[in-house]
Amino acid sequence: MIGCLGPYPIVATGSLSPSLSKSCNETFRNKQFLAKQQSVCLTSVFKNHQGCNGSYFPSKRSISKRGRSSSKISTVLTDDKSTMSSFEDDAENIGIFRIDPGLEPYKDHFRYRVKRYVEQKKLIEKHEGGLEEFAKGYLKFGFNREENGIIYREWAPAAQEAQLIGDFNGWDGSNHRMEKNQFGVWSIKIHDCDGNPAIPHNSRVKFRFKHGDGVWVDRIPAWIKYATVDPTRFAAPYDGVYWDPAPLERYQFKYPRPPKPSAPRIYEAHVGMSSSESRINSYREFADDILPRIQANNYNTVQLMAVMEHSYYASFGYHVTNFFAVSSRSGTPEDLKYLIDKAHSLGLRVLMDVVHSHASINVIDGLNGFDVGQGSQDSYFHSGERGYHKLWDSRLFKYDNWEVLRFLLSNLQWWIEEFKFDGFRFDGVTSMLYHHHGINMTFTGNYSEYFSEATEMDAVVYLMLANCLIHNILPDATVIAEDVSGMPGLGLPVSEGGIGFDYRLAMAIPDKWIDYLKNKKDDEWSMKDICWSLTNRRYTEKCVSYAESHDQAIVGDKTMAFLLMDKEMYSGMSCLTDASHTIERGIALHKMIHFLTMALGGEGYLNFMGNEFGHPEWIDFPREGNGWSYERCRRQWNLVDTDHLRYKFMNAFDRAMNLLDDKFSFLSSTKQIVSSTNEEEKVIVFERGDLVFVFNFHPENTYEGYKVGCDLPGKYRVALDSDAWEFGGHGRVGHDVDHFTSPEGIPGVPETNFNNRPNSFKILSPSRACVVYYRVEESQEEDNNSTLVGVKDAYAASDIAKNPEGYVESEVSNLTGVEETLDDAATVVEITEEQAYTGSEGSKGKTEDAKIPSDVAKNLEGSAFVENEVSGLIEVKETAAGSDIREIP
């Protein structure tokens, strides 16, 4: 990761302003490790390996009153006689300390964490036969077919009596009384009638029990696999449904899981709001109509929101009522299986937005209905304030309870095994990690904020078990954490002392862009501050970056396109008229912001449905306040499908961004070097992999003969150009120009190089545009444009997306192909072509900024470039044991 010197990690937290508080700076001066203040982009803000951040943590689903700072460990989960594995015995040498020696003062915390994890895992192995067997609770609890009947089991220790009721017995449970064992589990076997199940498939069922007050209540079974509501009744409660289709009616998967990509390019989607019509869309319609669009835009992963049943639609799926049931608004479990299988057939992996951080407060149709005032050891949730999230208005799980662990771990295995999900995005992880849930908490990067009595160790151990389970079941799973705090080790393997996630969301990045768009004029944008925010992440812990997700467009805010262009999007998006200044600026910055976020912000990329083409307005689910309208709870695909509207330009560029990573795999590259952040020229130059990226944010200035540094010598050509005609640009860059490098200074002596790069070449850098250059290998000499990502790739895929059943010839006739525009483009930049060969500079090709110290390196995931005081640049390459340091010749 970029952001500190040497192989030490930094803390990736929220957005950071160059102007830090005095107390924050003083904190860093007292630390052992002080960075030399020579780092490009980071000089004014970075002080040590822990990082510093003034990020405040409010959230739309944000956070409750501070809980107790410590918790009693349940006797259910500990065993004094248990022995420690070698993992725990070797706590002195846990891998995380080799990666980050700054964590040494917190060794006791990690030792205790590992001890708790190992003890819990051993108890599960001893009493349940192993973690995977333990997580097959869905084969024991709820409804399951056994010989000559159906067995129903429910954990409800607070119940005094219990019955099973439903359509099958006329809702009279007197003949279907259940029995309770010593663990509080109720069970009953309903024998078949004449060889047929006594409970018909797709019929309603409920669990009726009497609690301590002598009151009988009806609840939806906790492990129910399907729940529905009467659509003719307003605000009707949900009913549990017994789901056991006949073999011929059960969906059979046809396609294997796609291989795990080197870097996930994630399309975040909400099935219900994916229709262009004002209604709820179905799983099958999404599969047939939307998945081809996602594939055409070269994403490799779909992340589905709101899959778990939630009775309140406007909760965006985050107030879950039935954890094992698919959301019935969009169809049946078999319909969801069809969607996932269809995605796999298109080469798309599917992640699920899983919510284990809290549960809906609903009593009649939610898990909360099993809490009838009993002690927390007999409940899914903590009692009192600790079990209630005041700002989320939801219940909080008791993660050290044996049956809660069984329920949640089984939930994960259920979705993987039954529905073939390829991984998860865990929601609300920050709330899980701390007793204070992050409320009103400023995470400055001081390690004491992460490792103290404020840490919710029960939840940490659960997450370690969850990640261990997921990767045992599906080694190629992708698991992402939504965490804003930047807890060190969250994205490291459990075997290294981490919590085990594959990625964390880079949640500070969209906040930074919103701050710039709302509060800064274009000439006030700081290239260094932008780069700092994009690269502020921990060494060896991968991030998924995004410029905007569903969060940024919730009612009360706007999509990025609408922030940029606002009401002019209603009248100024037609190609039949000249674009206004607002529209030109908006489209240009929309492309640049999303691409810079992708290229520099992490090891994966995420886009929310519709934002790829600049969806206008905001998201507002049907509710009383808007007259229960679906008008802004849909996606207007007609905007991007209408050929004379400018939305197609942003969509084509989004497709080209993803295609560029397909061709060059820059997202997974550990080589990431920011060589220049020129504040006066508003230009950012960096390398990712072997590509050279140049972003010119200046609103007016185009620089001819602009000199950019690079690593490898040779010939470079354009790989992607946001200013190309097919992306709504002005075609100012010639795509047939060969840019030859010139050596800079003494090899191996970075202070003699240009911006610490041993080679350079000259380009035309248009205002408000970004251009990517690739090094031409000998094998590519025969085809000058074989690697250019442009109009042919973009529109061929667009046609397929519009007509997924068969290729339809594009009706786009007013846009010419790359080959036809090259001559015109080359004429515009004729002087640049000459300069590319002669090495001459244009009148605006200023290079004074080269004196900005840039020999200090930036940490990368798996690789870091650092200053070597003796011999120049050193490349640090991660090995299984830590880092292997070797000198670059």
Side-chain angles (χ1 to χ4, degrees), residues 98-134:
R98 295 193 298 272
I99 296 168
D100 182 3
L103 291 170
E104 289 279 353
Y106 304 93
K107 184 171 287 187
D108 287 344
H109 178 100
F110 282 92
R111 184 184 294 114
Y112 178 64
R113 171 197 287 186
V114 171
K115 178 178 182 291
R116 285 283 310 278
Y117 165 76
V118 172
E119 285 184 336
Q120 181 58 60
K121 195 164 181 286
K122 282 184 173 292
L123 281 173
I124 291 173
E125 290 168 352
K126 177 181 178 181
H127 297 291
E128 300 283 352
L131 193 59
E132 292 177 45
E133 286 301 314
F134 182 55

Side-chain angles (χ1 to χ4, degrees), residues 3-5 33-39 46-49 856:
C4 75
L5 304 179
F33 187 81
L34 295 177
K36 296 183 178 178
Q37 301 194 18
Q38 298 177 342
S39 175
F46 184 70
K47 298 297 181 186
N48 86 327
H49 66 275
V856 178

Side-chain angles (χ1 to χ4, degrees), residues 52 92 115 231 364-365 401 459 465 552 595 598 610 655 743 758 789:
C52 181
E92 297 295 322
K115 178 178 182 291
I364 295 177
D365 50 15
N401 187 294
L465 290 169
Q552 283 66 51
F595 190 32
M598 178 191 197
R655 183 180 299 118
V789 177

Side-chain angles (χ1 to χ4, degrees), residues 792-852:
K792 290 193 294 184
D793 298 308
Y795 283 108
S798 177
D799 289 329
I800 296 172
K802 292 178 183 178
N803 184 12
E805 298 303 323
Y807 183 83
V808 177
E809 182 179 1
S810 174
E811 295 180 356
V812 180
S813 58
N814 59 331
L815 290 177
T816 57
V818 169
E819 293 85 349
E820 297 172 287
T821 60
L822 285 175
D823 290 339
D824 293 336
T827 302
V828 174
V829 293
E830 182 177 355
I831 187 173
T832 304
E833 182 175 2
E834 178 183 353
Q835 291 161 348
Y837 286 97
T838 64
S840 63
E841 296 184 16
S843 59
K844 293 184 180 180
K846 301 177 182 178
T847 57
E848 289 87 347
D849 199 53
K851 64 187 178 184
I852 294 178

Side-chain angles (χ1 to χ4, degrees), residues 502-520:
D502 299 304
Y503 297 87
R504 61 166 17 112
L505 287 177
M507 300 182 68
I509 294 175
D511 294 339
K512 173 61 64 176
W513 288 123
I514 289 174
D515 175 53
Y516 267 57
L517 293 176
K518 288 185 175 181
N519 303 316
K520 295 182 184 294

Side-chain angles (χ1 to χ4, degrees), residues 132-163:
E132 292 177 45
E133 286 301 314
F134 182 55
K136 292 179 181 177
Y138 52 86
L139 299 179
K140 177 180 179 181
F141 288 86
F143 295 90
N144 287 285
R145 285 287 301 169
E146 293 190 7
E147 186 178 0
N148 301 321
I150 299 169
I151 294 288
Y152 169 59
R153 295 185 181 94
E154 196 74 68
W155 180 64
Q160 305 300 309
E161 297 181 46
Q163 303 172 356

Side-chain angles (χ1 to χ4, degrees), residues 379-414:
S379 173
Y380 287 99
F381 310 107
H382 285 289
S383 58
E385 289 187 357
R386 191 177 176 191
Y388 177 63
H389 208 306
K390 289 186 177 179
L391 294 184
W392 290 358
D393 190 27
S394 57
R395 297 303 307 272
L396 301 174
F397 286 105
K398 183 173 172 55
Y399 296 105
D400 66 344
N401 187 294
W402 190 271
E403 292 303 329
V404 173
L405 280 176
R406 187 199 307 275
F407 183 84
L408 295 177
L409 292 172
S410 297
N411 190 236
L412 298 173
Q413 184 152 323
W414 164 254

Side-chain angles (χ1 to χ4, degrees), residues 687 690 692 707-717 738-744 757-763 773-776 835-839:
E687 294 162 64
D690 290 330
V692 179
K707 190 175 182 181
V708 299
C710 64
D711 182 17
L712 302 175
K715 181 168 64 177
Y716 286 78
R717 294 192 187 122
D738 291 330
H739 303 273
F740 291 92
T741 61
S742 299
E744 294 288 346
R757 310 313 294 139
N759 294 282
S760 71
F761 59 92
K762 295 187 178 183
I763 63 168
Y773 298 87
Y774 72 99
R775 182 172 173 268
V776 180
Q835 291 161 348
Y837 286 97
T838 64

